[in-house]
């Protein structure tokens, strides 16, 4: 018999083993074994950062780094596979996406190991932003209840400053009698945000705020 036709199918491998992929497909896709977990990606994705560990491992022109392969032909990488997902996804679409259950410090450690400089900067910026939000702490409010007569009400509300704002007015009837007219009494509830600290130093309230606090403390 003559030589086999060029279109003839490749001979099957051992029992239960799929035929090896054509050379063109093998050169495009890369299989990675990261800490026992398999990942598959293209050389184009893995070489998105030319100076990265992954690009040097499997670059098209020949690997710069030596690495063992397992029985399936996957590159063996002794790193935590949990944190490899954000690394690979960043190379795919250029966005930093970290699941809530993952620590940002762990992603940073892997980004530094794989030498992906742009990702290292993004993770450090996110960690810094989170630390700034944590240091500021939640916004708190302080409330004061001020007692005043009807004739004082308008002046008191109009002169409030330093972050104090009106919350509620409660009438408590008439307790004062001036001549033939009763003067209605009110409880005025005011509040302000405790957000007046800079670098841990709390600023002293102004004189108007002190007056409101002193009047409220007498209740």
């Amino acid at each position: 018999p003559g030589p086999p036709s060029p279109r003839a199918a490749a001979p099957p491998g051992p029992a239960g083993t799929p035929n090896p992929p054509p050379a063109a497909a093998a050169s495009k896709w890369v299989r990675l074994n990261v800490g026992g977990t398999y990942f598959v990606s293209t050389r184009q994705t893995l070489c998105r950062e030319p100076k990265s560990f992954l690009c040097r491992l499997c670059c098209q022109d020949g690997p710069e780094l030596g690495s063992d392969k397992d029985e399936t032909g996957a590159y063996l990488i002794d790193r935590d596979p949990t944190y490899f997902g954000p690394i690979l996804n960043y190379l795919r679409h250029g966005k930093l996406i970290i699941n809530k259950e993952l620590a940002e410090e762990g992603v940073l450690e892997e980004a530094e190991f794989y030498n992906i400089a742009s990702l290292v900067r993004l993770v450090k910026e996110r960690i810094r932003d989170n630390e700034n939000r944590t240091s500021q702490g939640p916004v708190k409010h302080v409330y004061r209840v001020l007692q005043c007569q009807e004739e004082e009400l308008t002046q008191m509300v109009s002169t409030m400053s330093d972050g104090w704002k009106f919350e509620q007015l409660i009438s408590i009837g008439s307790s004062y009698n001036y001549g033939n007219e009763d003067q209605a009494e009110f409880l005025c509830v005011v509040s302000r945000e405790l957000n007046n600290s800079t670098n841990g130093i709390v600023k002293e309230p102004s004189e108007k705020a002190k007056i409101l606090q002193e009047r409220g403390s007498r209740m």
Side-chain angles (χ1 to χ4, degrees), residues 109-140:
E109 184 70 24
E110 296 306 295
E112 290 177 339
F113 171 80
Y114 292 108
N115 194 30
I116 305 176
S118 58
L119 180 57
V120 170
R121 287 193 297 270
L122 281 178
V123 180
K124 285 184 175 180
E125 288 175 2
R126 179 172 294 190
I127 292 175
R128 185 166 55 250
D129 291 342
N130 290 340
E131 289 176 348
N132 290 338
R133 284 194 293 267
T134 302
S135 63
Q136 292 175 0
V139 176
K140 298 181 180 179

Side-chain angles (χ1 to χ4, degrees), residues 146-153 169-176 182-188 219:
L146 310 177
Q147 185 175 357
C148 62
Q149 287 84 50
E150 183 177 3
E151 63 181 7
E152 300 174 325
L153 183 60
L169 184 66
I170 304 172
S171 175
I172 56 176
S174 302
S175 300
Y176 293 90
D182 289 338
Q183 289 289 322
E185 262 196 301
F186 297 91
L187 295 180
C188 183
M219 291 296 298

Side-chain angles (χ1 to χ4, degrees), residues 13-217:
T17 303
N19 293 333
S27 64
K28 177 180 179 181
W29 292 94
V30 178
R31 187 175 173 88
L32 304 172
N33 182 343
V34 182
T37 301
Y38 287 98
F39 296 86
V40 178
S41 185
T42 64
R43 292 183 188 275
Q44 181 181 2
T45 295
L46 297 176
C47 295
R48 190 68 53 83
E49 292 278 341
K51 297 182 180 180
S52 71
F53 170 89
L54 295 171
C55 182
R56 296 174 63 195
L57 181 69
C58 57
C59 59
Q60 189 72 38
D61 298 333
E64 299 180 16
L65 298 176
S67 176
D68 293 334
K69 294 184 179 181
D70 64 12
E71 62 278 3
T72 69
Y75 288 99
L76 286 165
I77 303 176
D78 187 21
R79 302 297 294 183
D80 188 346
T82 305
Y83 291 95
F84 187 70
I87 303 296
L88 185 56
N89 283 331
Y90 175 77
L91 293 175
R92 285 168 172 161
H93 47 59
K95 296 180 181 179
L96 174 59
I97 301 176
I98 303 177
N99 294 335
K100 294 181 179 180
E101 62 270 15
L102 296 182
E104 293 167 337
E105 289 77 6
V107 179
L108 176 61
E109 184 70 24
E110 296 306 295
E112 290 177 339
F113 171 80
Y114 292 108
N115 194 30
I116 305 176
S118 58
L119 180 57
V120 170
R121 287 193 297 270
L122 281 178
V123 180
K124 285 184 175 180
E125 288 175 2
R126 179 172 294 190
I127 292 175
R128 185 166 55 250
D129 291 342
N130 290 340
E131 289 176 348
N132 290 338
R133 284 194 293 267
T134 302
S135 63
Q136 292 175 0
V139 176
K140 298 181 180 179
H141 292 81
V142 60
Y143 293 87
R144 297 291 185 186
V145 180
L146 310 177
Q147 185 175 357
C148 62
Q149 287 84 50
E150 183 177 3
E151 63 181 7
E152 300 174 325
L153 183 60
T154 301
Q155 181 180 4
M156 185 191 68
V157 173
S158 63
T159 56
M160 283 194 305
S161 60
D162 298 285
W164 291 96
K165 65 178 182 178
F166 173 78
E167 293 286 348
Q168 188 178 5
L169 184 66
I170 304 172
S171 175
I172 56 176
S174 302
S175 300
Y176 293 90
N177 183 282
Y178 296 96
N180 296 324
E181 295 183 0
D182 289 338
Q183 289 289 322
E185 262 196 301
F186 297 91
L187 295 180
C188 183
V189 182
V190 296
S191 70
R192 68 177 298 182
E193 291 183 359
L194 288 182
N195 193 21
N196 61 338
S197 61
T198 304
N199 298 325
I201 302 174
V202 179
K203 300 177 182 178
E204 288 294 329
S206 67
E207 292 302 320
K208 290 183 179 179
K210 288 180 179 178
I211 293 173
L212 287 174
Q213 292 179 21
E214 290 172 358
R215 294 187 62 179
S217 64

